[in-house]
Amino acid sequence: MKKNLVLVLIVLLTAAGTLFAGGGQEGSGGAAEAQKPIVLRLAETHAADYPTTKGDFYFADLVKERTNGRITIEVYPSSQLGEEKPVIEQVQFGAIDFTRVSISPLSAFSPNFDALQMPYLYRNAEHMWKVLKSDIGKEFLESLEPANFVGLGWFESGARSFYNSKREVKTPADLKGMKIRVQQADIMVNMVNALGAVATPMPFGEVYSGLQTGVIDGAENNWPSYYSTSHYEVAKYYTLDAHTRVPEIIIASKISMDKLSAEDQEIIRQAAWDSMDYQRQQWADYVKVAEEKIRAAGNVITEIKDNSAWQAAMQPMYNALSPELQEVVKKIRAVK
């Protein structure tokens, strides 16, 4: 009897010790978990010194500062985590936490983004930013959530124009037959084809070799991209037609965001929003540098003062928009 009692006591004490140890580990583990820094990753296609990437770093710095180091966002520039399209897919599934991309590829996930990037839509850069910071812009950010993204904020990407290695382009007719690289988005393909060129979707990182080897004849982008990628070295004709102003966007994985507290999610959202003006200034400064360097290199810069012929070529694209998107376009143009 005494032996059985001893065995019972041993079992009880062992169970109690296990429960205490487990409870102690859970308690101390929870506390340790609360102190453990959260490390998130942001994918960027541009180089570390590019104005857009500087905006990424500023966003990351704000998050780290406002969380007292609890949340660290590591920025991976120069396509270290992959090219734009596959990165977007990885963000959607939570394998990558954030990325900064052009809005063009996002139209595959949220078709209303087509309205935001129509050719010759904005009067100028200030008009575009009034739209992006208005309720219209916020509605666009929110529209990504059903696709498992969280839209956080907008970055400047300037006006996109055509450049090529063949000849000076003064009118849409001069583009006829040229193989022009475009982003992997239907709206960009349709735009280039409507101008008589041959739209050629291609990852951004392959454009230089494509121009150099003649796989493509040209591409379209802004001053900083034309300069920073050295595309101006292999495509010396730059036509300032400013066909589109396609804003950049910072998106987060909804899967990653949902793992964070509501407070931390709000800190991240606000940090992204607060980084926009900083990035815009970085962009403006770099545009000046890029333009000076390209003009000094002797490239042929053609300014289009009357773009009526270019606009006319785009009208079928506007006519093809759904009634809903035509209404969005109307609202955008009405912003003063």
Side-chain angles (χ1 to χ4, degrees):
M1 183 73 179
K2 189 177 286 187
K3 184 176 180 181
N4 289 339
L5 183 60
V6 170
L7 287 171
V8 170
L9 285 171
I10 290 172
V11 170
L12 288 172
L13 287 170
T14 303
T18 303
L19 181 62
F20 179 77
Q25 287 170 357
E26 184 177 348
S28 61
E33 200 65 37
Q35 298 300 319
K36 185 179 179 182
I38 298 170
V39 179
L40 304 171
R41 300 188 302 164
L42 187 156
E44 172 61 66
T45 57
H46 291 297
D49 60 350
Y50 194 75
T52 305
T53 315
K54 288 181 179 180
D56 298 335
F57 282 118
Y58 188 73
F59 161 53
D61 289 343
L62 289 180
V63 171
K64 188 171 185 177
E65 176 187 325
R66 293 173 184 181
T67 61
N68 295 315
R70 284 189 303 102
I71 300 178
T72 299
I73 297 176
E74 296 179 342
V75 178
Y76 291 83
S78 303
S79 300
Q80 291 179 49
L81 299 184
E83 290 290 348
E84 195 171 65
K85 191 172 184 291
V87 161
I88 291 171
E89 292 169 353
Q90 290 186 71
V91 170
Q92 186 181 35
F93 298 118
I96 295 175
D97 306 297
F98 305 94
T99 188
R100 186 290 319 158
V101 294
S102 166
I103 67 169
S104 293
L106 293 181
S107 60
F109 303 95
S110 184
N112 63 344
F113 271 77
D114 280 348
L116 204 58
Q117 55 185 323
M118 290 296 287
Y120 306 107
L121 175 63
Y122 305 102
R123 295 186 295 275
N124 48 42
E126 288 307 312
H127 176 212
M128 183 186 77
W129 276 98
K130 284 181 180 179
V131 171
L132 296 178
K133 288 186 173 183
S134 72
D135 289 341
I136 297 173
K138 291 175 182 177
E139 287 171 8
F140 271 99
L141 293 178
E142 292 168 0
S143 73
L144 288 168
E145 297 216 9
N148 239 21
F149 301 112
V150 178
L152 298 176
W154 310 100
F155 275 179
E156 177 65 75
S157 67
R160 300 176 74 95
S161 294
F162 290 105
Y163 50 87
N164 78 91
S165 61
K166 298 295 183 183
R167 57 181 176 268
E168 184 176 11
V169 171
K170 296 181 178 179
T171 69
D174 296 327
L175 280 172
K176 188 173 182 180
M178 281 195 193
K179 293 173 290 184
I180 302 295
R181 177 268 174 179
V182 294
Q183 294 162 303
Q184 294 162 299
D186 288 345
I187 189 170
M188 303 305 286
V189 171
N190 294 339
M191 179 195 72
V192 169
N193 287 341
L195 290 169
V198 180
T200 308
M202 178 184 289
F204 187 63
E206 297 177 13
V207 176
Y208 184 92
S209 61
L211 288 166
Q212 193 174 41
T213 60
V215 171
I216 54 174
D217 300 314
E220 48 86 47
N221 221 314
N222 48 61
W223 280 107
S225 290
Y226 182 45
Y227 172 65
S228 68
T229 55
S230 298
H231 291 177
Y232 75 99
E233 295 176 354
V234 288
K236 71 175 185 177
Y237 300 100
Y238 194 33
T239 300
L240 301 178
D241 67 298
H243 46 264
T244 55
R245 293 183 181 275
V246 181
E248 310 280 322
I249 186 172
I250 302 177
I251 56 174
S253 167
K254 191 172 186 302
I255 293 173
S256 298
M257 289 287 279
D258 285 347
K259 293 177 182 177
L260 303 174
S261 68
E263 180 184 2
D264 285 343
Q265 288 186 43
E266 182 54 33
I267 288 173
I268 287 172
R269 289 176 186 272
Q270 192 60 50
W273 198 260
D274 291 344
S275 68
M276 296 193 303
D277 286 344
Y278 172 85
Q279 188 272 341
R280 288 180 69 192
Q281 186 57 55
Q282 295 297 310
W283 184 269
D285 293 344
Y286 196 50
V287 165
K288 293 178 183 177
V289 172
E291 183 174 354
E292 287 174 3
K293 295 286 187 181
I294 291 167
R295 288 187 183 277
N299 286 41
V300 179
I301 310 300
T302 305
E303 298 187 33
I304 305 298
K305 295 181 179 178
D306 179 6
N307 63 14
S308 56
W310 302 78
Q311 288 186 20
M314 297 298 103
Q315 193 54 47
M317 289 182 63
Y318 279 92
N319 296 340
L321 290 175
S322 68
E324 292 78 13
L325 293 189
Q326 289 189 24
E327 187 61 30
V328 175
V329 166
K330 186 177 178 181
K331 287 181 181 178
I332 290 172
R333 285 178 165 164
V335 172
K336 301 300 182 183

